[in-house]
Each structure stands twice: as structure tokens, then as C-alpha cells.
Amino acid sequence: MPRTWLITGCSGGFGKEISKAALALGDNVVATSRNESKLADLAESGVHTVSLDVNAPQKDINAVVAEVISKYGSIDVLVNNAGYILEGGVEEASDEEARAHFDTNVFGQLAVARAVLPYMRAKKSGTIANMGSIAGWRGGINCGLYCSTKFALAGITEALKKEVQPLGISVVLIEPGYFRTDFLSGGHKVTPKKTIEDLVPVIKPLKDMFSMYDHKQPGDPVKGAQLIVEALTGTGRCAGRQLPDRLAIGSDAVAMISGVLEHKKKELDDWKDLAVTTDISD
């Protein structure tokens, strides 16, 4: 029996490629975007397309999910993929810009999960994949706010996994490295209106690197999407494997995360002798 997928942020990149890979399995795929017209090619291929703004009021998101349930009877896999990068210094981002970033990258994912989870709980089955990033492992110059949204998603996803696992629901954080999509350009990347001259010497080299790296990233989004679909369905190369809390995608992701873990372990060991002296002496 075919599964039903609900995937957000499908106008390009991973959202579009995951939709194609899931459809190739013979599953029902519901692809969403704020602008449904950007999904015309997916609609022509047999994907059901819907307009969905993850920043819309909860009742509107609930209504979209209810329509999907009415059409297909269930949502078996939710992929929370919608998001963008706010590029710039932490201090440069205004309160409005920072909150808007969290609204899409964090609270938008929470809102869609809230709408879908009651149906998964009723069936005692389902899989939720939140789209994180290797940015959720280390805060970086020029992308600190973006990193912070991915750190937040890591905590939310790990907690949610533990809460709903006894109910038969799987939850995983997908953490891609750099893949050759439009994520570093176009409408997926915005910059703060404010520039702080004191920060330019630190930030500009990273900003230039992002620009030079655009469309030269090592990851193939088609291959990445295929692995994600196999992992979420337990098919192909992932048959018999249990989903991890955080699934790294890309050789650069594996290398970077390994380096972060080694560095953090060293820092912990370097300060352990003092850290353990702070307990109450009973």
C-alpha cells in the first residue's frame, strides 16, 4: 500500500528532489510551497501540489493538513524542509529579522508537526523528518542566526523523538552538508539591512566564500534525496537499519561533525578537573 508524504519547501533543492524520489517509489506525494505556481513541474509529474505558508496561522496549516488527510486517508511521512539562511553578523540582524528567521526555520516546522502529529498518534505510526544542517553542530561567522535555528531544531527533534517513539512514531533530524542547490542564492538567502563596519574584516571573507561556493558545492541533491527517502522508508540500502537521532548527509558533513565532536571532547577533557569540583560536599 502506498505511503503518503507531506513535504514543505518544494520549489527547489531538497524539497523538489525528495518529492521526485518518493514518487518514484509509487507513493502519494503532497508537495507544498508558499507559491504553488513554482511547483508546476512536480504537478505535471504526478505530485499533488498545495499552497502552504509555514508562517500562516495554525488554523490555516491545520486546514491544509486536514485536506490532505481527507484526500489520502493518512500522512505517513512528514518532511519539514522549508527554510532559508539569514547571512550576516549576529549583531547586524535586527530583532525583526532574527524573529522572522526563527519563525520560518523553527516555529514553522513546529506548526506543521503540530498539525500532523494528532493523525499519526491516532494511527500509532508515521515518520517525521526535520531538515537540519551541519550548521547545527557549530556556530559560524556570517551565519550565526542560521546556525542557531538549526541548533534549536536539533533539541526539539531529539526531544520529540523520545516523546512519540512509544506511540510508534519515528522522528529524525536530517543534517546535510553543502549540496549543489540554490540555497546559497536567490530567495533562499537574505542579508540584514544593517552593516557594522567593525565586523566587515571578519565577515566579508566568509561572505565572499559563500558566494564563490554557490553552485560548486560537493553534494549531489539527487543522490542526497534518494538516501533520505530510503532512510525514511527503510528501503533499499537502508533496509534493516534503525534511524539515528541525527542523520548526516554528505562526506563533508561526516568530516565536519567528526571534527566538532573531537574538538568538544578535548575541551571537556581539558576542563574536567575543574568542572567536577563544583558539586556540594555532603
Side-chain angles (χ1 to χ4, degrees), residues 156-166 169-172 242-246:
I156 290 167
T157 304
E158 289 188 2
L160 180 61
K161 177 177 181 175
K162 294 178 177 67
E163 291 169 356
V164 300
Q165 199 166 31
I169 302 168
S170 300
V171 183
V172 63
Q242 184 174 349
L243 279 175
D245 294 343
R246 304 168 72 156

Side-chain angles (χ1 to χ4, degrees), residues 55 84 86 94-104 107 145:
N55 291 325
Y84 68 94
L86 176 60
S94 68
D95 184 69
E96 180 183 22
E97 290 165 335
R99 288 177 184 273
H101 200 30
F102 270 80
D103 279 344
T104 296
F107 298 118
L145 271 299

Side-chain angles (χ1 to χ4, degrees), residues 19-272:
S19 296
K20 293 177 181 177
L23 186 68
L25 281 181
D27 287 347
N28 303 313
V29 179
V30 181
T32 77
S33 175
R34 282 181 301 175
N35 186 348
E36 190 181 351
S37 65
K38 293 182 177 181
L39 307 176
D41 56 337
L42 287 177
E44 290 174 3
S45 70
V47 171
H48 181 62
T49 62
V50 177
S51 176
L52 173 63
D53 182 352
V54 299
N55 291 325
Q58 186 74 58
K59 63 180 179 61
D60 295 341
I61 296 173
N62 291 349
V64 170
V65 169
E67 288 179 10
V68 175
I69 295 293
S70 177
K71 181 176 178 64
Y72 293 107
S74 68
I75 294 174
D76 303 293
V77 184
L78 166 64
V79 181
N80 264 320
N81 176 65
Y84 68 94
I85 181 170
L86 176 60
E87 181 189 46
V90 171
E91 186 186 352
E92 290 178 329
S94 68
D95 184 69
E96 180 183 22
E97 290 165 335
R99 288 177 184 273
H101 200 30
F102 270 80
D103 279 344
T104 296
N105 287 18
V106 180
F107 298 118
Q109 294 204 19
L110 276 172
V112 178
R114 282 194 206 100
V116 170
L117 275 165
Y119 298 101
M120 289 186 172
R121 285 192 286 104
K123 280 192 63 181
K124 297 293 188 292
S125 68
T127 299
I128 294 176
N130 292 331
M131 191 61 75
S133 166
I134 56 172
W137 283 91
R138 180 177 64 195
I141 295 170
N142 194 47
C143 56
L145 271 299
Y146 176 70
C147 294
S148 69
T149 65
K150 299 306 182 180
F151 269 86
L153 279 177
I156 290 167
T157 304
E158 289 188 2
L160 180 61
K161 177 177 181 175
K162 294 178 177 67
E163 291 169 356
V164 300
Q165 199 166 31
L167 303 175
I169 302 168
S170 300
V171 183
V172 63
L173 187 69
I174 307 294
E175 297 185 311
Y178 287 93
F179 278 76
R180 203 163 296 182
T181 68
D182 293 329
F183 193 67
L184 292 178
S185 60
H188 298 286
K189 184 179 72 171
V190 301
T191 57
K193 295 177 182 178
K194 180 180 181 179
T195 298
I196 298 175
E197 290 302 320
D198 287 346
L199 300 178
V200 169
V202 177
I203 291 174
K204 189 176 184 303
L206 275 298
K207 194 180 292 287
D208 292 344
M209 185 193 76
F210 275 5
S211 296
M212 290 187 294
Y213 210 42
D214 188 23
H215 290 100
K216 295 180 182 177
Q217 301 96 320
D220 182 337
V222 174
K223 292 179 180 178
Q226 183 61 39
L227 178 55
I228 290 169
V229 167
E230 290 179 16
L232 298 183
T233 57
T235 58
R237 296 163 293 173
C238 298
R241 289 178 179 253
Q242 184 174 349
L243 279 175
D245 294 343
R246 304 168 72 156
L247 176 60
I249 302 289
S251 59
D252 57 342
V254 172
M256 193 275 262
I257 294 169
S258 296
V260 170
L261 291 173
E262 291 172 7
H263 176 69
K264 295 301 183 186
K265 178 63 165 60
K266 183 180 185 305
E267 282 191 331
L268 184 64
D269 290 342
D270 287 347
W271 285 83
K272 180 180 178 181

